[in-house]
Amino acid sequence: MPKYDLIVVGAGIVGLTSAFYIKKNNPDLSILVVDKAQTYGQGNTARSAAGFRDLFTSPINFNLSHSTIGFYRHIQEEAGFNLGMQFVGYLFLLPRKNRLDEQLKSLGNKTKLRYLDGDQISRVDGLNLEPSKDIAEILGLERIDHAVLGENCGIIEPDLVCSYYYNELKSLGVEFSFSTEVTALRLEPENPLNFPGEPFLWQKKRIGSIATSRGDMISDQYLLATDVWTTALTDPLGVDSHVRPKKREIFQVSGDIAQKILHTPDFNNQSILPFTIMPHYGVYIRPAPKENSLWVGVADDIGRDFSFEEQPEAREEYYQNNLRQVLEAYWNRYDSTRLTSMWAGYYCYNTIDKAPYIYRSMNVTIADGTSGSGILKGDSIGRYVAAVYAGKKEAELYGDVSVDSSLLGVEGRSVPVEKIIL
Ligand SMILES: Cc1cc2nc3c(=O)[nH]c(=O)nc-3n(C[C@H](O)[C@H](O)[C@H](O)COP(=O)(O)OP(=O)(O)OC[C@H]3O[C@@H](n4cnc5c(N)ncnc54)[C@H](O)[C@@H]3O)c2cc1C
């Protein structure tokens, strides 16, 4: 087995973008990317709602997302590589008094927002602004009073985004080993004395090799881009991953009414319903024009445990008993839509401030905590990881934005709590 300069564990969006910028900045490095899946982009990257937005309250989340959107747009529009990016917008339907108003307004001078009053919203065919009194009381719903449309937002195809970085990596000579599961990171002393029981308390430590389903692999540096699986690899080392998993389910609904809602005009050039956030509980509808359907989801909190399964499954009863009622209250004839597919994955939460963690421990760089928005921040995360890997003080993001590269670390971290989590 050859010795590499760097082994990247995880070929999701974070592993691919990180490997890309590290290699781009250091063309001579030998890099191997390993993943237990059969190919790239098969983890949570494949299970996402695949929306993008730069509507984040914490400045670092705003920078990571805004800059990534700019780069993806450049790749699609100028470099001519289709990423399936459609600027359909993010539409927040809002009741009269709510906390989101102030938060969205504060972004008005940083990105493109359109404000819609009740009259304009009332023209949306099939949208019922005022749920019936009984239902409103039981579900705790209020009248839709106005809306805010984020115009630098929309939908994207994560498999195409991953293909872009994968092809670039292949042409730069980066190697891949799929169907390769890393089972342990082996701790060893930097200067071995060859005594049993090493490494001792007083020896400087490093990861010497990794155990995998294809045998041991060796490199000087390691990068863990393993999302919710990071904890299983770092716990035995006594290194904290700082993340916790929460299961997220997506439900695809189809039929005539779903198509009618999908083809809502007036918000964008595509005459497609924007990625729409209902006024309560963060229930969202993601337009899926490719499948002529809608995807429905929510990032619920209390009552949603932190348990973890290797292959999580969506539950129909969750949709029927939780999401469907909210949607039926606001969309006429929603009851005639059909549930045609569903799947589940995990958000890898930084439970404190909901921004990624990117930090080093020994000769390992760790990038996790994407908190439900790793694809739309993917390019910036890769650039940031490359800066941390190289020990640079600043990470240069696309669009001439530079950010302090210690900001997303563990020590001295000072990131305001993100208020807009979907
Ligand atoms: C339902 C849902 C909706 C979402 N919606 C959005 C959205 O609209 N927009 C957005 O930007 N983000 C969204 N996200 C979040 C987004 O999917 C993640 O932030 C992103 O995919 C994280 O990328 P990653 O590369 O860190 O993780 P992953 O894509 O999970 O990649 C990690 C990789 O590591 C590999 N791996 C793990 N452990 C090992 C091991 N021991 N050995 C070998 N390989 C290993 C896995 O096989 C996997 O391929 C959503 C997520 C879910 C679940």
Side-chain angles (χ1 to χ4, degrees):
M1 179 57 71
K3 185 179 172 192
Y4 291 90
D5 293 318
L6 169 68
I7 292 181
V8 177
V9 188
I13 186 71
V14 170
L16 294 172
T17 56
S18 302
F20 174 61
Y21 286 108
I22 292 172
K23 180 72 178 173
K24 209 171 159 210
N25 298 346
N26 311 273
D28 294 336
L29 283 191
S30 59
I31 302 181
L32 173 71
V33 181
V34 302
D35 201 298
K36 60 185 174 181
Q38 285 174 0
T39 185
Y40 57 90
Q42 298 300 296
N44 286 307
T45 299
R47 297 170 203 173
S48 88
F52 66 85
R53 61 177 165 117
D54 55 1
L55 305 175
F56 287 93
T57 54
S58 109
I60 184 66
N61 275 339
F62 176 81
N63 281 333
L64 295 174
S65 58
H66 190 75
S67 158
T68 296
I69 294 170
F71 182 73
Y72 289 167
R73 182 174 213 152
H74 158 73
I75 289 304
Q76 179 161 293
E77 292 179 5
E78 283 151 51
F81 192 101
N82 180 28
L83 302 178
M85 202 178 192
Q86 296 192 51
F87 284 81
V88 296
Y90 260 51
L91 179 70
F92 289 82
L93 298 173
L94 298 164
R96 204 155 78 84
K97 277 195 195 135
N98 68 92
R99 62 173 181 90
L100 264 169
D101 256 331
E102 282 310 303
Q103 290 156 5
L104 289 168
K105 239 182 228 151
S106 70
L107 294 165
N109 56 353
K110 291 169 131 185
T111 187
K112 282 199 275 177
L113 292 182
R114 192 167 13 130
Y115 299 91
L116 300 133
D117 61 23
D119 269 0
Q120 288 164 299
I121 283 298
S122 69
R123 279 180 233 136
V124 175
D125 197 18
L127 181 64
N128 169 26
L129 300 195
E130 178 114 47
S132 78
K133 207 162 161 261
D134 296 357
I135 299 288
E137 238 172 68
I138 296 169
L139 304 187
L141 306 178
E142 292 163 280
R143 184 177 203 285
I144 297 171
D145 179 74
H146 59 286
V148 178
L149 179 71
E151 295 190 303
N152 193 35
C153 308
I155 54 175
I156 194 160
E157 292 182 37
D159 51 334
L160 298 179
V161 180
C162 287
S163 296
Y164 169 78
Y165 290 101
Y166 176 74
N167 291 338
E168 292 290 313
L169 285 166
K170 289 293 274 187
S171 69
L172 290 172
V174 168
E175 293 175 39
F176 285 82
S177 178
F178 294 118
S179 304
T180 306
E181 178 163 9
V182 176
T183 50
L185 279 69
R186 294 223 173 83
L187 201 58
E188 65 174 37
E190 272 192 9
N191 298 306
L193 301 168
N194 298 322
F195 272 96
E198 289 185 287
F200 299 117
L201 170 71
W202 33 265
Q203 283 177 306
K204 213 169 166 199
K205 298 163 190 69
R206 67 195 303 277
I207 298 303
S209 61
I210 54 174
T212 85
S213 53
R214 289 181 190 268
D216 287 3
M217 295 183 176
I218 303 176
S219 69
D220 283 335
Q221 297 285 328
Y222 299 87
L223 167 64
L224 295 185
T226 37
D227 201 57
V228 283
W229 293 274
T230 308
T231 315
L233 293 173
T234 55
D235 268 8
L237 305 172
V239 172
D240 196 345
S241 68
H242 300 284
V243 292
R244 303 201 75 189
K246 268 209 185 196
K247 182 164 144 178
R248 297 293 176 223
E249 299 164 72
I250 304 237
F251 302 91
Q252 181 189 52
V253 294
S254 312
D256 290 349
I257 290 299
Q259 281 182 35
K260 198 160 168 272
I261 297 173
L262 172 70
H263 294 288
T264 297
D266 300 335
F267 289 107
N268 45 51
N269 295 338
Q270 296 88 337
S271 289
I272 290 287
L273 182 80
F275 194 119
T276 298
I277 299 92
M278 302 309 295
H280 293 285
Y281 313 116
V283 174
Y284 62 76
I285 303 179
R286 190 271 201 200
K290 231 176 140 184
E291 293 93 17
N292 227 345
S293 65
L294 306 171
W295 298 351
V296 172
V298 71
D300 53 351
D301 187 14
I302 308 259
R304 177 68 70 164
D305 67 24
F306 286 108
S307 61
F308 179 73
E309 292 165 282
E310 188 61 32
Q311 294 294 345
E313 281 180 13
R315 298 151 306 149
E316 178 168 354
E317 72 271 17
Y318 183 76
Y319 170 73
Q320 300 293 2
N321 299 335
N322 295 273
L323 303 179
R324 194 174 52 83
Q325 282 87 349
V326 174
L327 294 162
E328 272 183 25
Y330 288 109
W331 292 95
N332 298 333
R333 298 183 50 215
Y334 186 87
D335 56 343
S336 66
T337 59
R338 279 179 294 114
L339 182 61
T340 41
S341 179
M342 56 190 165
W343 64 91
Y346 286 98
Y347 278 12
C348 177
Y349 268 116
N350 161 347
T351 54
I352 308 293
D353 56 47
K354 318 259 183 347
Y357 274 114
I358 300 172
Y359 58 103
R360 280 179 67 79
S361 176
M362 303 173 288
N363 54 338
V364 185
T365 307
I366 299 171
D368 60 14
T370 50
S371 305
S373 48
I375 294 159
L376 63 88
K377 294 176 187 153
D379 185 75
S380 299
I381 290 175
R383 293 174 196 248
Y384 197 104
V385 168
V388 170
Y389 174 87
K392 287 192 182 153
K393 277 203 150 97
E394 304 251 289
E396 310 287 335
L397 309 184
Y398 181 77
D400 283 337
V401 178
S402 49
V403 291
D404 180 344
S405 70
S406 65
L407 203 67
L408 296 176
V410 178
E411 280 165 37
R413 185 180 176 99
S414 157
V415 174
V417 176
E418 177 56 54
K419 300 283 177 22
I420 310 179
I421 291 291
L422 299 175

